[in-house]
Amino acid sequence: MKALAIILALLDLAPIFFLSLGLFFLVQLADRLDPRSRRMALAGLALVVLGGLAGAASNLSLAIFEEDIPLLAATSHVFGAPGSALMAAAVIRALRNADGPRVAGDPWVAPMLVSWLFLIAAFYLNATFGGDLWSRVLLLLSVLAEIALCIAACLLGWRRQLHMAAALFALNAAAAVVGAAVSVFTSQTMWIHLFVFLVNLAARSAFVFASWRIAAEYGARVGPTAPV
């Protein structure tokens, strides 16, 4: 059973890889439709990858040594949640710029404000009550940001009649909600871990294809090198 737990912990890297690849395509999309959001999207990608790797390392430590590393577990939430917020903001601005005038204003303001509000709330809950309530606050931010990102990307796909890609983004949002609900409301057994892994793997694989398809479509029609 321990060997199976270690294998599952190692396999956690697969959904992280697919998520990172999908977000990379969305960074390219944001750069084409709203160049001002490029750095914000890259920062969001870096934070999500860092948080995902920290979470995978924490799970691997738990599987091998049967002991969690609090710093890694905290890093996965503290970096991953704001990263998701930055990525969501970049894709939302890309949606607003797709078929209309350029959106004015600093792209960093709204996502940074929201992220700091959630981080301060998590710090307060951790200092006051302890436990894992603080991590659930940041998990909520991650889920809300992913839902917002998927809705914006879904609308971008729908505008270009990419119905399959739009449906895959909706599937990814639903999987994010299911995964978060399972992790919060059920005990973390190995079989629960396996279920969450399979759901994440399927959702992230779909996310990669949908992100690539939409980024390629808007690159062909909107990009600076597109034929006239």
Side-chain angles (χ1 to χ4, degrees), residues 152-200:
C154 180
L155 292 174
L156 281 168
W158 199 266
R159 288 183 178 183
R160 292 291 187 266
Q161 297 184 348
L162 301 176
H163 300 146
M164 180 179 179
L168 292 178
F169 279 119
L171 174 64
N172 189 77
V177 174
V178 170
V182 169
S183 65
V184 170
F185 297 110
T186 63
S187 57
Q188 295 302 299
T189 66
M190 184 177 61
W191 299 112
I192 292 296
H193 189 172
L194 177 61
F195 171 76
V196 173
F197 164 76
L198 293 176
V199 170
N200 282 337

Side-chain angles (χ1 to χ4, degrees), residues 15-149:
I16 296 171
F17 170 76
F18 287 129
L19 174 62
S20 303
L21 185 58
L23 292 179
F24 172 75
F25 290 131
L26 293 182
V27 168
Q28 294 181 318
L29 173 68
D31 185 29
R32 294 185 189 114
L33 297 181
D34 184 36
R36 296 184 62 186
S37 297
R38 179 177 181 273
R39 291 184 179 180
M40 182 175 68
L42 285 173
L45 172 61
L47 290 175
V48 170
V49 171
L50 180 59
L53 292 177
S58 178
N59 291 335
L60 183 61
S61 172
L62 185 62
I64 296 176
F65 305 109
E66 299 182 354
E67 184 175 348
D68 197 5
I69 300 178
L71 179 61
L72 290 177
T75 299
S76 67
H77 295 291
V78 171
F79 286 91
S84 297
L86 292 176
M87 279 300 312
V91 177
I92 290 172
R93 284 180 64 94
L95 170 65
R96 296 176 64 188
N97 280 337
D99 296 315
R102 294 292 174 181
V103 178
D106 190 335
W108 292 85
V109 174
M112 289 297 293
L113 177 61
V114 172
S115 296
W116 274 112
L117 287 175
F118 274 84
L119 287 170
I120 292 172
F123 176 80
Y124 171 78
L125 291 173
N126 184 49
T128 305
F129 302 103
D132 63 347
L133 186 59
W134 69 272
S135 64
R136 296 187 180 187
V137 171
L138 295 181
L139 177 62
L140 176 62
L141 174 59
S142 295
V143 172
L144 292 177
E146 187 158 1
I147 291 173
L149 182 151

